Amino acid sequence: MADWVKRDMEGWGRWPVISAEVARPETRADMVKAVGDSQGDGLLAYGLGRSYGDTALHSGHVVMTTRLDRFLAFDPATGWLKAEAGVSLEEVLRVFVPRGFFLPITPGTKFVTLGGALACDVHGKNHHVDGSFSNHVRSFELLTASGEVLEVRKETHPELWKATVGGLGLTGVVLSVELRLTPVAGPWIEMESVRVEDLDHFFAVSAESTGFTHTVGWIDCVTTGKAMGRGIFMRGRHAPQGIEAKKSLLGRVVDAADRLLDVPIDGPGWLLNQATVKAFNEVYFRKHPRGQKNSIVHYEPFFYPLDAVRHWNRIYGKRGFLQYQMVLPKTPDQRPLREILGAITRSGFGSFLAVIKEFGPTDNGWLSFPTPGVTLALDFPNHGAPLLELLERLDAITVEAGGRVYLGKDARVSRESFQRMYPEWEAWKAARDAVDPKGVFRSTMGERLGLVTPGGRS
Amino acid sequence: MERGEGGNEQPRSGVEGAVRGAAVVFGVTSRVGRELALRFAERGHPVWVGARDQAEAERIAKDIAVRTRVVAISGGFDARAVETHAALVSSIEAAVGPIERMVIAFGDMGDDGRRDPQMLRRIVEVNYLGAASLAELVADQMAARGRGIIAALGSVAGDRGRQSNYAYGSAKGALALYLQGLRNRVFSKGVHVMTAKLGFIDTRMTWGLATKIPIASPEAASHAVLEAMEARRDDLYWPPFWRGVMGVIKAIPEAGFKRLSL
Ligand SMILES: Cc1cc2nc3c(=O)[nH]c(=O)nc-3n(C[C@H](O)[C@H](O)[C@H](O)COP(=O)(O)OP(=O)(O)OC[C@H]3O[C@@H](n4cnc5c(N)ncnc54)[C@H](O)[C@@H]3O)c2cc1C
Ligand SMILES: NC(=O)c1ccc[n+]([C@@H]2O[C@H](COP(=O)([O-])OP(=O)(O)OC[C@H]3O[C@@H](n4cnc5c(N)ncnc54)[C@H](OP(=O)(O)O)[C@@H]3O)[C@@H](O)[C@H]2O)c1
């Protein structure tokens, strides 16, 4: 028997909160035992809890993976790293940036585990060039419901691969991942930012940014009319040898931020109201001069601006918040995107942070999120029913346009919408039922979306 | 025994031409033990790490090798199998060279307060007998070479018998006494022996413990133990406030203490 402890678990959005029996195995043998213990009310792996909604939540047994965090092999000639699933991206960077390697793909926070990155098949600012996380993985070890450990490669287990990559932890516990790191000259990023005046301008700048591996935009989703979609477009690439920023000052700022910025307690409910969001968007836009700025920056502020504030999710207070991220196939006039921005502005639920990016071609898991098109991610304080109604409307526009919502950030999409967004879900389910016929691996999200059946037998 | 492979990179130090002698950690599946082994490797000691679960020890050796590019070798051992310990120590030295630092990280609290004869034997054999046996053997090797530092992870529970955990506490207390004698014996031979008296550390032992008393991270504990070893301290309380707490607890007269429920 592993040691099970009753805990209230939440994702990064802090809504919903689900109570579970939680274990934190210290050895691989204990992880295998824990999976054996859980028969009956199901089990799910939990990494660093940076998914937003109920992706990593389950009302039965939950196993934390963070203590199984060993590096197992590294080949500096090729960059192939084999590491256990509980290793965080932060740890990979800490050990390997000084040795001239970087993550091939990174989401907007480094506080995620390799297992979580695979289970959500995460994408980064370089998606249009390098695809998503699984494109840089050649194998992983999967602890399945039967207690067996399989070494899964695309070639040897094509279906299990497509079911597990982006598969939200529902095929088993990933124990280790073989990931190819990218050689870099150092920690520096050559970055340019361009102020974009409206949506068309955004797409024009995005199109002319082919010389950059990393692109992302911030857009103001409070302002309507002609300036709808105004914002700041950021593009960058790993700096070649010899190019670096004046280290001292920047280094000190990053270090100071690291030590000082934390949100120790819940913010008051009024903190993020319509007025503050509007003011923030206005200031953020205005502080960037018209036109373009070039700079050399450390990878921390470039990739992880939010990580500088440790528990920033507490700013939203106890009620938590919801993130909504969807991808829409590109159309010449970007009608669906305009409809979505319009619906948000009209609702008055401005988003503090609205991030926009174009995805490139994809060939990943059946439930992997990225598809070619434009993706938009928004944070909303949990306003309850009126917000949920707005998000339903956004779902309808997204489904209509042939788009989908990111399940790694979801807490509320309906089963019907989900099935239209992810038409390959049935292939996913067949593969998952084959590897877990008794329905051992389960989650709140999986039950909500009909991926697994509550109470076992999927 | 297997050798952790840190890719193709050259080891930064190794058995041949090592600047520092070997560091060994017995009981490396303890998170504190693993962190300590990593700390030693970061300082350039080739390391040997051992556990009952040899496959797990090997993953830890690989981790250390990848992170530090120092030679890391793993092996299996059982603290209770004292008759195997002499051969074990020789084989470790054959693999990583003369032992310069040694940490006993293993320990066993027993199950659910059971105090039947089998459980008592297990608790005493792991925490006291096994630890004393390995410390004695390694101390002799070190004494012959005139240098070395030994530390054992003891417990504040060993400072006074209390109804809640006196089986485990008495074994840890006995070990502290044993190490005190050993310290005295090998001091003149240039060998140092330390007892680390740990309070609550966030490991398997304390997982799920509902307490208002602060729980320290294994990483912080490893830094503290390593520093105290290098400073040749005789004992260490970690977190430090436990020295004061145990000072008070030890000072309560037995006539009153026996009435308390601690
Ligand atoms: C500030 C911020 C920015 C973000 N930016 C991005 C972004 O740019 N791109 C992007 O793609 N995502 C982004 N995310 C989302 C985040 O990267 C993903 O949700 C990621 O999966 C979180 O990893 P985790 O280790 O915290 O996993 P958790 O949140 O703990 O779990 C997520 C899922 O992974 C599963 N899982 C975890 N470990 C294992 C394992 N060992 N085996 C099997 N299943 C496992 C869980 O069951 C769950 O389904 C962001 C999140 C935050 C908070
Ligand atoms: N955590 C605390 O709050 C705390 C407080 C005071 C003292 N300590 C002491 O600190 C040390 C480390 O403990 P921990 O907290 O890290 O807990 P832990 O994870 O339970 O570590 C105990 C270790 O002892 C090993 N062990 C048990 N019996 C053994 C045997 N017969 N032979 C070899 N190894 C054996 C275990 O290995 P297996 O994996 O093979 O079981 C495990 O690695 C222990 O000595 C403990 O008594 C801890």
Side-chain angles (χ1 to χ4, degrees):
Chain A
M1 266 280 288
D3 293 321
W4 298 100
V5 176
K6 197 97 185 150
R7 285 265 167 109
D8 284 342
M9 304 295 283
E10 56 189 28
W12 191 245
R14 309 182 70 197
W15 183 82
V17 178
I18 307 270
S19 179
E21 293 291 332
V22 184
R24 187 186 62 184
E26 297 274 346
T27 66
R28 187 174 278 208
D30 283 349
M31 177 63 91
V32 175
K33 255 186 242 152
V35 170
D37 280 355
S38 70
Q39 316 280 348
D41 64 355
L43 178 122
L44 188 71
Y46 188 97
L48 280 166
R50 256 50 178 202
S51 53
Y52 279 76
D54 54 4
T55 317
L57 304 184
H58 172 51
S59 56
H61 287 78
V62 167
V63 281
M64 302 186 58
T65 62
T66 44
R67 286 288 164 107
L68 299 185
D69 60 343
R70 278 77 54 105
F71 290 112
L72 298 176
F74 179 63
D75 180 0
T78 58
W80 281 107
L81 169 70
K82 183 172 183 185
E84 287 187 309
V87 169
S88 70
L89 300 190
E90 179 196 26
E91 198 63 5
V92 174
L93 294 169
R94 203 177 60 72
V95 172
F96 289 101
V97 171
R99 284 149 82 168
F101 289 94
F102 206 83
L103 293 161
I105 301 293
T106 176
T109 171
K110 59 186 186 300
F111 303 120
V112 313
T113 63
L114 293 176
L118 190 74
C120 284
D121 197 7
V122 299
H123 59 271
K125 296 178 180 185
N126 55 342
H127 185 275
H128 61 294
V129 184
D130 295 319
S132 55
F133 192 77
S134 63
N135 290 103
H136 305 268
V137 170
R138 72 174 170 195
S139 78
F140 55 85
E141 285 178 290
L142 184 70
L143 170 59
T144 61
S146 64
E148 199 185 353
V149 178
L150 299 175
E151 193 190 275
V152 180
R153 292 170 180 270
K154 223 176 183 163
E155 309 78 50
T156 57
H157 299 78
E159 321 234 281
L160 195 49
W161 176 279
K162 281 179 92 95
T164 303
V165 159
L168 311 170
L170 296 173
T171 57
V173 179
V174 175
L175 294 178
S176 73
V177 172
E178 257 193 300
L179 173 74
R180 189 172 199 169
L181 302 183
T182 307
V184 292
W188 306 105
I189 304 288
E190 288 182 296
M191 175 178 130
E192 291 182 12
S193 57
V194 185
R195 190 165 119 176
V196 296
E197 307 296 334
D198 57 32
L199 216 47
D200 289 331
H201 191 197
F202 167 83
F203 284 104
V205 174
S206 186
E208 65 170 47
S209 298
T210 46
F212 293 85
T213 45
H214 294 75
T215 63
V216 72
W218 163 83
I219 64 172
D220 168 352
C221 54
V222 181
T223 308
T224 38
K226 223 178 116 352
M228 176 194 267
R230 70 176 186 176
I232 308 207
F233 189 92
M234 278 161 279
R235 52 196 185 195
R237 56 188 161 228
H238 289 287
Q241 197 70 48
I243 294 194
E244 52 185 73
K246 280 168 242 88
K247 207 168 186 167
S248 51
L249 179 65
L250 189 90
R252 259 183 278 140
V253 171
V254 171
D255 289 351
D258 212 38
R259 276 196 312 273
L260 295 178
L261 296 177
D262 191 351
V263 179
I265 49 161
D266 296 329
W270 51 260
L271 194 60
L272 296 186
N273 61 26
Q274 290 175 21
T276 50
V277 169
K278 203 171 163 74
F280 173 85
N281 277 267
E282 188 66 30
V283 169
Y284 197 91
F285 180 75
R286 292 285 163 213
K287 88 171 206 277
H288 194 288
R290 216 175 270 282
Q292 182 178 326
K293 266 197 322 199
N294 298 357
S295 50
I296 307 292
V297 296
H298 191 269
Y299 71 79
E300 286 280 348
F302 182 75
F303 285 112
Y304 312 115
L306 292 169
D307 284 353
V309 185
R310 229 6 92 89
H311 295 104
W312 64 262
N313 56 342
R314 292 182 184 157
I315 290 173
Y316 288 93
K318 271 211 174 357
R319 63 188 169 166
F321 66 110
L322 285 87
Q323 172 140 142
Y324 190 83
Q325 180 169 4
M326 93 303 286
V327 57
L328 302 163
K330 236 174 128 175
T331 59
D333 59 354
Q334 301 302 341
R335 251 232 352 261
L337 182 60
R338 284 177 209 279
E339 272 177 45
I340 280 186
L341 287 172
I344 293 168
T345 339
R346 276 195 309 278
S347 74
F349 297 135
S351 164
F352 229 95
L353 292 159
V355 173
I356 185 168
K357 150 144 202 84
E358 285 193 73
F359 280 158
T362 50
D363 170 27
N364 305 105
W366 282 312
L367 299 184
S368 288
F369 165 64
T371 44
V374 57
T375 181
L376 185 66
L378 312 135
D379 282 344
F380 298 99
N382 185 2
H383 290 296
L387 176 67
L388 295 177
E389 274 163 38
L390 168 69
L391 300 183
E392 286 285 322
R393 257 174 288 145
L394 303 189
D395 284 350
I397 301 169
T398 301
V399 165
E400 193 54 40
R404 51 174 52 178
V405 159
Y406 185 10
L407 300 176
K409 297 186 172 177
D410 177 52
R412 29 79 37 208
V413 160
S414 73
R415 189 176 296 188
E416 297 65 37
S417 299
F418 159 72
Q419 293 181 350
R420 295 181 62 190
M421 292 172 177
Y422 289 84
E424 292 177 311
W425 73 275
E426 282 170 300
W428 178 87
K429 189 153 163 51
R432 119 97 199 188
D433 289 355
V435 68
D436 182 8
K438 294 205 187 104
V440 169
F441 292 99
R442 295 210 286 280
S443 66
T444 306
M445 169 174 273
E447 291 172 2
R448 173 165 59 84
L449 299 179
L451 292 167
V452 300
T453 315
R457 273 238 37 99
S458 44
Chain B
M1 287 190 206
E2 291 184 60
R3 186 168 290 244
E5 212 68 70
N8 301 336
E9 289 158 303
Q10 285 300 307
R12 283 195 305 171
S13 84
V15 182
E16 294 89 14
V19 212
R20 293 174 188 272
V24 304
V25 174
F26 293 102
V28 79
T29 49
S30 145
R31 185 72 190 210
V32 188
R34 175 185 159 199
E35 293 286 348
L36 270 161
L38 188 55
R39 296 290 91 75
F40 284 120
E42 285 166 356
R43 300 178 131 236
H45 292 278
V47 297
W48 182 92
V49 294
R52 281 189 293 188
D53 181 344
Q54 201 175 337
E56 194 68 12
E58 177 53 16
R59 278 187 284 276
I60 293 167
K62 282 178 170 158
D63 176 73
I64 293 170
V66 170
R67 286 173 193 263
T68 64
R69 288 173 278 180
V70 156
V71 169
I73 293 174
S74 69
F77 83 101
D78 189 329
R80 300 174 69 184
V82 289
E83 62 288 348
T84 64
H85 287 177
L88 173 71
V89 171
S90 319
S91 72
I92 293 170
E93 293 213 322
V96 273
I99 301 173
E100 224 176 65
R101 298 287 182 274
M102 171 210 193
V103 171
I104 290 169
F106 57 80
D108 188 343
M109 276 206 302
D111 294 342
D112 313 319
R114 263 175 60 198
R115 282 183 298 272
D116 52 87
Q118 275 70 36
M119 185 55 68
L120 284 181
R121 168 175 282 166
R122 194 178 101 189
I123 289 175
V124 171
E125 285 186 357
V126 175
N127 295 294
Y128 179 49
L129 179 64
S133 151
L134 285 167
E136 190 70 24
L137 287 161
V138 172
D140 279 340
Q141 296 297 108
M142 290 177 168
R145 293 186 289 266
R147 62 192 179 136
I149 302 177
I150 291 174
L153 303 186
S155 170
V156 295
D159 274 9
R160 188 153 193 181
R162 287 172 295 127
Q163 60 177 311
S164 53
N165 64 354
Y166 61 92
Y168 168 73
S170 65
K172 287 290 194 190
L175 177 64
L177 267 187
Y178 191 98
L179 294 180
Q180 199 171 39
L182 180 63
R183 176 184 311 131
N184 186 207
R185 176 169 82 81
V186 294
F187 173 76
S188 60
K189 310 213 166 67
V191 179
H192 184 72
V193 181
M194 179 180 100
T195 305
K197 297 183 175 178
L198 303 181
F200 293 141
I201 315 290
D202 184 14
T203 66
R204 175 167 34 196
M205 270 191 192
T206 52
W207 172 247
L209 189 74
T211 173
K212 291 216 155 51
I213 299 170
I215 300 185
S217 77
E219 193 189 348
S222 75
H223 284 285
V225 169
L226 186 111
E227 264 171 47
M229 285 174 79
E230 298 304 326
R232 292 180 161 69
R233 300 253 305 269
D234 298 324
D235 65 11
L236 163 78
Y237 281 86
W238 191 264
F241 69 84
W242 280 99
R243 186 180 293 275
V245 171
M246 294 320 293
V248 171
I249 288 189
K250 281 193 289 188
I252 302 173
E254 188 63 18
F257 194 80
K258 69 184 177 195
R259 293 166 212 277
L260 302 176
S261 61
L262 283 167

